[in-house]
């Protein structure tokens, strides 16, 4: 990260203003899905009732291949109970550990489905891996909006800024709303560390620089994480932290850790990790904006598993 970063600086100024003025801060509800250790957020503007849903979960039973909507229905109940209007359905990246429920939620609640513009790179890589064929468009057209780095957006009267934070995947984005940053899989709770960087298109050095970009936001910036796995010695799940806490305590990337040290640690650690249980169905569906592959002539959708290819 260089010292010259206008998008980061804009986000930092937004955080400072929101920290000083409660009317510029969002209402945030987190919904934890223990099956995938994923947190979905409903982020709303108290003044207008407009809301965004970030990183939703479609329930999927791998053994049977059956989907269900219990996790998404909890979100719908919350939105309706609180009389919210959904304007955005945001994915921080194309997840490899759970399937997005965005199309189901969009059908029932509305809103624009959005992700970072580099989803196109992810679609190209995985489109080849799964031999998706020419019918699968690799241009991001499965989404309603592709965010650029530094792009401003709004949730009601609340300001938002998208920051590109690649490394875990090429398409990872963090979304800063008021004084809150939704950082996807870049970083975890301080006692657990950071995300892996060994998926296709991942890069440990890039991840380090992305994390340092986020940690150059003001100390008081609230960070909301996409996953938690309860680090050894901790009994409860947690998913909110701050820039200050991460800079002081993160076991992988606190202040003083160099990029070379991080890359050596992250690369060595990633070699020991198994692939996520749901990576095959998740990636195939999520690069399609959460939609299942087109049904075959018998009316059934199929998930492919490439043999000896990964």
């Amino acid at each position: 990260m260089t010292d010259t970063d206008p998008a980061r600086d804009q986000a930092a100024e937004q955080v400072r203003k929101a920290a000083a003025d409660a009317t510029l801060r969002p209402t945030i509800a987190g919904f934890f899905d223990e099956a995938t250790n994923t947190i979905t957020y409903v982020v709303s503007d108290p003044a207008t009732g407009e809301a965004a849903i970030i990183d939703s979960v479609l329930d999927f039973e791998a053994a049977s291949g059956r989907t269900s909507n219990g996790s998404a229905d909890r979100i719908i109940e919350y939105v309706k109970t609180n009389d919210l209007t959904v304007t955005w359905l945001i994915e921080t990246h194309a997840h490899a550990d759970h399937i997005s429920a965005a199309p189901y939620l969009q059908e029932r609640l509305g809103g624009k489905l959005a992700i970072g513009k580099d989803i196109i790179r992810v679609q190209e890589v995985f489109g080849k891996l799964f031999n998706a064929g020419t019918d699968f468009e690799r241009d991001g057209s499965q989404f309603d909006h592709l965010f650029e780095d530094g792009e401003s957006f709004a949730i009601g009267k609340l300001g938002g800024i998208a920051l590109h934070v690649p490394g875990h995947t090429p398409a990872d984005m963090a979304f800063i709303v008021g004084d809150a940053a939704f950082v996807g899989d870049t970083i975890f709770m301080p006692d657990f560390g950071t995300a892996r960087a060994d998926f296709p298109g991942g890069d440990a050095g890039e991840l380090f620089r992305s994390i340092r970009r986020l940690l150059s936001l003001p100390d008081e910036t609230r960070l909301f994480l996409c996953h938690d796995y309860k680090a050894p010695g901790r009994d409860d799940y947690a998913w909110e932290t701050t820039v200050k806490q991460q800079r002081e305590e993160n076991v992988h990337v606190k202040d003083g850790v160099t990029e070379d040290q991080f890359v050596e640690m992250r690369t060595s650690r990633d070699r020991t990790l198994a692939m996520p249980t749901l990576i095959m169905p998740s990636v195939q569906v999520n690069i399609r904006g959460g939609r299942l592959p087109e049904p075959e002539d018998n009316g059934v959708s199929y998930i492919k598993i490439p043999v000896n290819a990964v």
Side-chain angles (χ1 to χ4, degrees):
M1 185 193 71
T2 64
D3 290 334
T4 303
D5 189 342
R8 184 270 319 271
D9 293 345
Q10 182 183 356
E13 181 61 20
Q14 176 184 287
V15 168
R16 283 189 284 268
K17 287 180 178 178
D21 183 349
T23 66
L24 301 178
R25 299 176 213 155
T27 297
I28 301 166
F31 297 82
F32 184 71
D33 176 58
E34 192 162 357
T36 63
N37 295 87
T38 303
I39 303 94
T40 298
Y41 296 100
V42 180
V43 185
S44 58
D45 173 19
T48 65
E50 289 192 16
I53 299 171
I54 300 177
D55 291 335
S56 61
V57 176
L58 181 73
D59 302 319
F60 181 74
E61 172 55 54
S64 66
R66 290 195 172 274
T67 64
S68 57
N69 302 307
S71 296
D73 286 338
R74 284 199 298 156
I75 306 299
I76 293 172
E77 181 181 6
Y78 175 85
V79 167
K80 291 186 174 180
T81 298
N82 290 277
D83 197 25
L84 302 177
T85 300
V86 174
T87 54
W88 291 103
L89 298 153
I90 292 174
E91 302 292 336
T92 56
H93 62 295
H95 308 275
D97 43 27
H98 72 271
I99 295 173
S100 169
Y104 177 79
L105 292 169
Q106 188 177 44
E107 183 179 327
R108 286 153 182 80
L109 299 174
K112 288 184 178 181
L113 175 56
I115 199 168
K117 71 179 183 63
D118 283 299
I119 186 62
I120 295 168
R121 292 176 56 192
V122 179
Q123 289 176 329
E124 185 63 33
V125 169
F126 284 102
K128 290 178 181 177
L129 177 63
F130 293 115
N131 197 29
T134 56
D135 290 340
F136 173 57
E137 299 292 342
R138 296 159 170 83
D139 58 2
S141 59
Q142 300 84 354
F143 299 85
D144 300 314
H145 185 79
L146 301 182
F147 277 107
E148 303 266 356
D149 181 48
E151 182 176 344
S152 296
F153 64 102
I155 301 172
K157 295 182 179 180
L158 298 178
I161 298 171
L163 295 181
H164 188 212
V165 286
H168 174 62
T169 80
D172 282 65
M173 299 289 286
F175 296 89
I176 295 81
V177 181
D179 66 333
F182 300 87
V183 299
D185 284 13
T186 54
I187 199 166
F188 299 138
M189 289 300 290
D191 57 0
F192 200 87
T194 57
R196 67 195 299 164
D198 61 335
F199 293 149
D203 182 280
E206 214 170 30
L207 179 60
F208 178 86
R209 294 187 293 275
S210 291
I211 291 171
R212 296 312 304 183
R213 187 185 198 197
L214 290 172
L215 298 188
S216 67
L217 292 171
D219 283 353
E220 63 268 29
T221 308
R222 295 184 289 161
L223 304 181
F224 291 86
L225 317 178
C226 189
H227 298 288
D228 187 57
Y229 303 95
K230 286 197 297 191
R234 176 156 54 87
D235 295 329
D236 299 317
Y237 291 110
W239 48 81
E240 180 180 351
T241 178
T242 64
V243 164
K244 185 177 190 297
Q245 185 182 19
Q246 293 283 8
R247 292 185 65 157
E248 292 178 350
E249 302 175 18
N250 189 283
V251 294
H252 292 168
V253 73
K254 63 185 175 182
D255 286 356
V257 175
T258 68
E259 181 173 339
D260 287 345
Q261 290 171 330
F262 176 81
V263 169
E264 182 179 1
M265 177 283 301
R266 188 70 265 169
T267 303
S268 298
R269 183 175 173 83
D270 287 350
R271 292 194 190 104
T272 71
L273 300 178
M275 285 291 103
T277 302
L278 296 182
I279 186 170
M280 294 302 175
S282 295
V283 172
Q284 285 178 76
V285 175
N286 292 337
I287 60 175
R288 292 176 165 87
R291 298 171 186 86
L292 295 173
E294 286 296 315
E296 298 192 7
D297 55 11
N298 61 355
V300 177
S301 293
Y302 289 87
I303 299 293
K304 293 180 179 179
I305 299 179
V307 177
N308 298 326
V310 178

